[in-house]
Amino acid sequence: RNSKFGQALVIETTTSSGGYILGFRADPVEHLEAVHTQIHNLWKIFSVTPIFGVDYTLEEKPADPNQSFVPRQEDDVQIMEGDDIEPCLLYQPDGEKEMDREPVYNNELGLAVERLKENSNIQQLWQIV
């Protein structure tokens, strides 16, 4: 297009991408046609295979879903019982608890805390950290 700066390359974007009209001046003016051709060719390539910012690859899907079946395996876990209580379980709600336990002042912390379960203390809670 002709502009107040002479010949300019004008690029108009779609309304879905902002509807911008961008103007560029090329020095020397002889490069303007080569730049236009290059941008036009790049746009045609991008239109066929757009880049959306995420790299991905398509994988062949098996014709039979049973081919990709992975049988369930049971974990090899041993549950060990003992007197040691997991510290993070000390402050968990009781199974029958419907409301919070009443707060009590703790001299060690200098704060009011929810009353702990029987046979537990603040020191055991600090073992979590």
Side-chain angles (χ1 to χ4, degrees), residues 1-51:
R1 281 191 190 173
N2 283 325
S3 70
K4 64 181 179 180
F5 302 107
Q7 286 286 342
L9 174 69
V10 177
I11 299 175
E12 296 180 28
T13 65
T14 61
T15 54
S16 63
S17 62
Y20 295 105
I21 299 174
L22 307 169
F24 299 93
R25 189 182 80 177
D27 278 333
V29 177
E30 293 78 32
H31 289 281
L32 195 59
E33 189 62 36
V35 170
H36 173 265
T37 303
Q38 187 173 7
I39 290 174
H40 184 70
N41 290 338
L42 290 171
W43 178 79
K44 286 195 303 189
I45 292 169
F46 177 79
S47 297
V48 174
T49 56
I51 301 169

